[in-house]
């Protein structure tokens, strides 16, 4: 008799074991049927019931979608009070599993709290996962808040350690966006890199380089800025106002994005600077690879961070000057043509306002970070 009882108990145990799993599955289905991925209730669904279903599914399963849906409940206050901290915790769990919309949500919440470095870093992760909204948000913040870029690059390392850590950084420079996923920089910026990224944390590869002309082209998987326009004429007048943009001062208390103003130097160095413009602009390490622009925002050359170590150029430089150089536009175009790298040109136009110019330079300029083993 007791033997028959034990045998008949087995299917009952199976039923009780399976019943909670069925409930959790039903909760997940109910949650997804009633709540859209942008946090909107569907078909007049009851907020309290939706919240109960979504949170039950998230407690029962650690999958990315369930955690993301629970994050929506907390962020938008569906069926309960809003709780941004709980929302972030759920989103982070999903984001770390590669969920693009959760990564977008992490960027959105970070931007709301003005932690802009984390916002850009999370937007970049989502953009790499082909999220168009995150791509647009990243480009918007890159232009509006360029001085957050170095910190954003460090935050990106904290999110994804594939590039390594701070100790693996060999150096950094600047670059110019030539097209979607195409960046022009100096060859010496990427010369010894095992890996490189265009901030914040967008992987890049060298597709063309020339050590003699000190030029290199990088390719990324996504758009990293507004496309720069090159001037049609390579010439620069003696009194023309010239601007540079880039990321000097890395690792110091100085701003990590700087626009400088100057002009072509009056120092005559003859053949030694045949391929370069000598500038009065204040140039520092980190500026290398950034754009030299005219008043209408057209690229006139690619900036060097410092003068050559030897030769008459260095010997005759003013004392305590941060004088730099720029590779002339005709040399740049020749390099790009030889490597079949497309670029856009435009004749000079209206002089841009100062504020508009800084935004323009931030939009077309990127931080390039070099990593070793």
């Amino acid at each position: 008799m007791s033997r028959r009882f034990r045998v008949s108990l087995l299917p009952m145990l199976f039923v009780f074991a399976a019943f909670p799993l069925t409930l959790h599955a039903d909760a997940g289905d109910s949650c997804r049927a009633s709540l859209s991925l942008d946090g909107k209730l569907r078909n007049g669904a009851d907020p309290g019931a939706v919240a109960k279903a979504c949170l039950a599914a998230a407690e029962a399963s650690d999958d990315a979608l369930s955690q993301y849906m629970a994050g929506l409940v907390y962020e938008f206050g569906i069926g309960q009070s809003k709780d941004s901290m709980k929302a972030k915790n759920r989103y982070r769990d999903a984001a770390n599993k590669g969920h693009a919309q959760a990564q977008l949500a992490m960027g959105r919440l970070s931007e709301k709290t003005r932690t802009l470095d984390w916002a850009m870093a999370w937007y970049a992760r989502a953009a790499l996962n082909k999220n168009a909204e995150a791509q647009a948000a990243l480009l918007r913040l890159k232009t509006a808040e360029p001085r957050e870029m170095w910190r954003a690059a460090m935050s990106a390392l904290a999110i994804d350690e594939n590039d390594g850590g701070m100790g693996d950084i060999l150096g950094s420079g600047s670059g110019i966006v030539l097209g979607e996923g195409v960046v022009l920089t100096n060859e010496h910026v990427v010369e010894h890199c095992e890996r490189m990224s265009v901030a914040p944390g967008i992987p890049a590869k060298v597709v063309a380089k020339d050590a003699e002309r000190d030029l290199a082209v990088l390719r990324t998987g996504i758009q990293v800025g507004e496309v720069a326009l090159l001037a049609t004429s390579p010439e620069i007048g003696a009194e023309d106002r010239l601007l540079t943009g880039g990321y000097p001062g890395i690792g110091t208390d100085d701003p990590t994005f700087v626009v400088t103003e100057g002009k072509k130097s009056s120092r005559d160095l003859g053949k030694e600077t045949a391929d370069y413009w000598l500038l009065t602009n204040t140039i520092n390490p980190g500026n290398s690879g950034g754009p030299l622009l005219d008043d209408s925002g057209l690229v006139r050359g690619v900036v060097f961070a410092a003068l050559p170590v030897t030769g008459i150029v260095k010997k005759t430089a003013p004392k305590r000057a941060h004088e730099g150089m720029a590779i002339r536009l005709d040399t740049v175009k020749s390099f790009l043509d030889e490597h079949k790298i497309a670029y856009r040109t435009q004749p000079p136009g209206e002089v841009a306002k100062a504020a508009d110019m800084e935004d323009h330079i931030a939009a077309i300029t990127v931080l390039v970070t070099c990593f070793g083993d």
Side-chain angles (χ1 to χ4, degrees):
M1 185 73 179
S2 59
R3 187 176 179 179
R4 284 197 301 271
F5 176 75
R6 286 196 296 270
V7 172
S8 62
L9 187 61
L10 291 175
M12 292 175 64
L13 290 173
F14 176 77
V15 169
F16 281 117
F19 187 58
L21 296 179
T22 303
L23 280 179
H24 298 326
D26 289 346
D29 291 343
S30 175
C31 171
R32 291 186 287 274
S34 304
L35 184 62
S36 68
L37 294 179
D38 59 0
K40 295 179 181 177
L41 290 170
R42 292 188 175 119
N43 304 322
D46 176 67
V50 172
K52 185 177 180 181
C54 291
L55 296 181
E59 288 300 320
S61 173
D62 196 36
D63 71 285
L65 181 56
S66 294
Q67 299 306 310
Y68 172 69
M69 300 300 283
L72 291 175
V73 169
Y74 286 125
E75 181 184 2
F76 295 106
I78 297 168
Q80 60 183 333
S81 300
K82 293 181 180 181
D83 191 324
S84 59
M85 185 60 67
K86 287 183 179 179
K88 237 178 182 180
N89 289 338
R90 295 293 186 174
Y91 285 148
R92 186 182 292 107
D93 194 344
N96 287 334
K97 292 179 172 66
H99 195 282
Q101 284 173 297
Q103 292 166 343
L104 170 66
M106 285 295 292
R108 180 174 66 242
L109 289 182
S110 296
E111 188 172 356
K112 283 182 180 178
T113 57
R114 298 297 294 172
T115 49
L116 300 179
D117 53 332
W118 283 102
M120 282 194 274
W122 280 115
Y123 285 146
R125 299 314 303 169
L128 286 168
N129 280 328
K130 309 303 180 186
N131 186 289
E133 188 177 347
Q135 171 81 76
L138 174 61
L139 297 182
R140 170 178 53 77
L141 274 187
K142 172 188 179 296
T143 299
E145 305 286 348
R147 289 170 179 81
E148 293 289 329
M149 188 56 71
W150 177 251
R151 292 176 58 200
M154 298 305 98
S155 298
L157 285 180
I159 292 170
D160 184 352
E161 297 180 350
N162 285 335
D163 283 328
M166 284 282 292
D168 299 311
I169 297 175
L170 299 181
S172 64
S174 304
I176 308 164
V177 180
L178 290 184
E180 185 168 342
V182 181
V183 173
L184 174 67
T185 188
N186 285 141
E187 192 273 342
H188 77 262
V189 170
V190 298
E191 180 182 6
H192 300 295
C193 305
E194 293 293 330
R195 300 170 307 283
M196 67 206 71
S197 70
V198 173
I202 309 297
K205 293 183 178 180
V206 176
V207 294
K209 63 179 180 178
D210 185 327
E212 186 175 343
R213 286 179 283 193
D214 198 12
L215 292 168
V217 173
L218 313 180
R219 191 172 292 279
T220 67
I222 63 170
Q223 184 180 355
V224 291
E226 184 179 306
V227 176
L229 298 174
L230 278 56
T232 52
S233 171
E235 296 306 315
I236 296 175
E239 297 304 317
D240 289 351
R241 186 172 78 116
L242 298 174
L243 301 159
T244 71
Y247 292 88
I250 300 303
T252 72
D253 292 332
D254 295 333
T256 56
F257 176 77
V258 174
V259 172
T260 76
E261 182 177 337
K263 60 182 181 179
K264 190 170 63 171
S265 174
S266 60
R267 291 203 291 137
D268 184 8
L269 301 174
K271 293 182 179 179
E272 188 160 354
T273 56
D275 293 326
Y276 314 108
W277 297 118
L278 192 59
L279 308 173
T280 66
N281 300 65
T282 299
I283 304 297
N284 287 292
N287 276 116
S288 288
L292 177 72
L293 305 107
D294 61 23
D295 261 342
S296 57
L298 300 178
V299 175
R300 294 287 185 160
V302 177
V303 172
F304 273 96
L307 294 169
V309 175
T310 61
I312 192 171
V313 177
K314 181 68 174 179
K315 291 176 183 176
T316 61
K319 290 182 179 180
R320 298 184 182 85
H322 295 272
E323 192 176 33
M325 303 174 80
I327 303 167
R328 294 193 187 203
L329 188 58
D330 47 359
T331 301
V332 173
K333 287 181 176 178
S334 294
F335 164 76
L336 296 174
D337 291 340
E338 287 172 19
H339 291 278
K340 296 181 172 54
I341 305 295
Y343 55 89
R344 301 180 191 176
T345 60
Q346 182 172 296
E350 281 187 37
V351 174
K353 295 179 181 177
D356 294 339
M357 183 63 81
E358 181 161 328
D359 285 350
H360 170 68
I361 297 173
I364 67 170
T365 307
V366 293
L367 170 66
V368 179
T369 310
C370 172
F371 298 89
D373 287 329

